[in-house]
Amino acid sequence: MIKKSLQNTILLNIGAFVLVLILEVLSMWAIKDRFDTNYSFFLHGFKYTIAIMGIIWINHFVLIPFVFDKRRYFLYTILLIASVFFAAYLKGYWKDGWYGVYKMIFFLIYTTGAGMAAFFVRRNILFRKENAEKEKLQKEMELNYLKEQVNPHFLFNSLNSIYSLSRQQSSETSDVVMQLSELMRYQLESSKRDAVLLKEELEFIENYLLLEEKRLSKRCTIEFTIDGDVLGLKISPMLLIPFVENAVKHGAQSTNEQSTIIVSASIKNSTLHFCVDNSKPHKVSLSKRTGLGLENVRRRLSLLYPNSYVLEIDDKEEKYHVNLSIDLAVSKLKK
């Protein structure tokens, strides 16, 4: 996705450069005879195009993202004026002195303004498109989790575990009922929200694993660790659980062999490092894991945390490994 976006940006700017060059050549066509050769005429247009696009590129790729978007409006204005003046001086002073500089300044202000207008119109269109897609995704997520993720199969197995514990008059029965209740409540409530506390999301995963550990009895060893300060950090709800569910489904649940599931979450500054490892049974060791869940997670990550996450999945013969890093401070979640 990043590669495609870069290609689109490059093609768009090449197209803009060619368009400006054509307009510059056409605007000077009436006085073409003043130039000694066709080469000097086209070279003149090419140099002016470089000056125009140079200011536009500096503005678009340096000043706007690193100054304007950080709300340093006064500094942005000073730097933009300085860059226009510097380019006008280099281009106009050598030919017509200060008159050439003034003339070039007004010319660059006009072209830069036109370029900024096009830039912000395009940004607004992309922003609206992303917001529409996020809202659609949010609705899809809410419906999908009500219909699929809170699935009857999981609920049926959980109730069977509770029934078995109650028959044994186990002291853990009440705890398991409470865990299932918390899981169902969290799934229903969080699916309606744009962001939840990371602490709540990790507590949900912990309760889910505790319930699965009791259901899977002694044939699965489950470890879950949290390292770092999670206070104040927020994350898109139900973003991490598909990796854990897959570890249970394709690992311990698919075999009667002894299996392991290791889940860890570590937080450094505002970056979450989330890892899931599960052993794979021999009979399905060559299978490739696919499905709507992981594709949905990838899509949500690209929309909500663009250029601020890394997802690595390593499907080995005897182990499946997921390593996800997200900078939670850089997101497009609604504040």
Side-chain angles (χ1 to χ4, degrees):
M1 182 170 290
I2 296 176
K3 184 178 180 180
K4 184 178 180 180
S5 177
L6 180 60
Q7 289 177 344
N8 290 338
T9 300
I10 292 174
L11 290 175
L12 181 64
N13 281 276
I14 291 175
F17 185 92
V18 173
L19 178 60
V20 172
L21 178 59
I22 292 173
L23 292 175
E24 180 63 27
V25 169
L26 291 177
S27 67
M28 298 291 291
W29 194 266
I31 58 172
K32 181 182 178 183
D33 294 335
R34 296 183 184 181
F35 295 86
D36 297 331
T37 62
N38 288 337
Y39 174 80
S40 62
F41 170 71
F42 285 109
L43 181 61
H44 177 270
F46 186 78
K47 288 181 177 180
Y48 266 85
T49 302
I50 291 178
I52 295 168
M53 293 304 298
I55 294 298
I56 291 176
W57 286 334
I58 290 173
N59 187 34
H60 286 190
F61 299 114
V62 180
L63 298 184
I64 290 179
F66 295 104
V67 184
F68 183 88
D69 285 347
K70 294 183 178 180
R71 299 184 179 181
R72 299 175 181 175
Y73 302 127
F74 180 76
L75 178 61
Y76 169 78
T77 303
I78 296 299
L79 291 176
L80 181 60
I81 293 174
S83 61
V84 169
F85 180 83
F86 182 72
Y89 180 83
L90 291 179
K91 186 64 182 172
Y93 186 80
W94 66 274
K95 185 177 181 181
D96 299 316
W98 286 109
Y99 172 78
V101 174
Y102 296 144
K103 183 179 178 181
M104 192 65 186
I105 285 176
F106 285 110
F107 183 69
L108 288 178
I109 289 176
Y110 170 78
T111 54
T112 302
M116 287 180 65
F119 175 84
F120 283 111
V121 167
R122 181 172 180 269
R123 173 187 273 191
N124 186 57
I125 293 173
L126 293 176
F127 180 77
R128 289 176 178 273
K129 182 180 179 181
E130 286 182 357
N131 274 349
E133 189 171 6
K134 282 192 291 183
E135 290 176 2
K136 180 181 177 182
L137 181 62
Q138 180 69 22
K139 292 178 181 178
E140 290 177 353
M141 183 188 72
E142 182 176 345
L143 291 175
N144 286 338
Y145 267 97
L146 289 173
K147 294 178 181 178
E148 298 177 10
Q149 299 298 335
V150 187
N151 59 76
H153 183 69
F154 168 74
L155 182 59
F156 177 76
N157 285 333
S158 300
L159 291 175
N160 272 345
S161 300
I162 294 172
Y163 176 73
S164 177
L165 290 172
S166 65
R167 288 286 302 269
Q168 300 170 15
Q169 296 184 348
S170 172
S171 60
E172 296 181 340
T173 304
S174 60
D175 292 336
V176 172
V177 172
M178 183 58 67
Q179 288 168 8
L180 179 59
S181 173
E182 291 299 321
L183 287 173
M184 301 298 292
R185 181 184 296 111
Y186 182 84
Q187 285 185 317
L188 290 170
E189 292 179 354
S190 67
S191 64
K192 301 176 183 178
R193 295 154 62 186
D194 295 305
V196 296
L197 290 173
L198 177 61
K199 180 176 181 292
E200 294 178 353
E201 184 81 358
L202 295 179
E203 285 176 352
F204 169 76
I205 291 174
E206 183 177 22
N207 286 333
Y208 174 82
L209 288 172
L210 287 172
L211 190 58
E212 287 293 345
E213 189 174 34
K214 290 181 175 64
R215 184 173 69 84
L216 296 170
S217 188
K218 297 181 180 180
R219 62 186 176 90
C220 181
T221 301
I222 297 178
E223 296 180 13
F224 179 59
T225 59
I226 301 175
D227 182 30
D229 186 7
V230 300
L231 296 178
L233 294 176
K234 290 188 175 184
I235 191 171
S236 179
M238 312 303 293
L239 188 66
L240 306 176
I241 191 63
F243 300 114
V244 182
E245 285 181 322
N246 277 350
V248 175
K249 179 181 177 182
H250 297 278
Q253 190 172 294
S254 62
T255 181
N256 290 322
E257 302 173 8
Q258 188 66 29
S259 58
T260 59
I261 297 174
I262 302 174
V263 181
S264 65
S266 63
I267 299 89
K268 295 181 180 179
N269 297 323
S270 62
T271 301
L272 168 67
H273 302 278
F274 187 73
C275 298
V276 180
D277 288 280
N278 68 271
S279 58
K280 295 171 60 177
H282 296 296
K283 63 180 180 180
V284 292
S285 60
L286 297 178
S287 65
K288 295 297 181 181
R289 195 173 310 187
T290 58
L292 178 63
L294 291 182
E295 289 303 316
N296 186 45
V297 172
R298 290 180 187 274
R299 184 182 170 200
R300 291 173 63 197
L301 283 169
S302 64
L303 281 172
L304 301 175
Y305 303 95
N307 304 323
S308 58
Y309 79 92
V310 176
L311 175 60
E312 298 175 344
I313 296 179
D314 189 7
D315 190 358
K316 296 182 179 179
E317 184 176 354
E318 298 182 351
K319 185 176 74 171
Y320 193 87
H321 173 75
V322 175
N323 185 18
L324 172 65
S325 297
I326 312 175
D327 186 354
L328 299 178
V330 182
S331 74
K332 293 193 175 182
L333 293 169
K334 293 180 180 178
K335 303 298 183 183

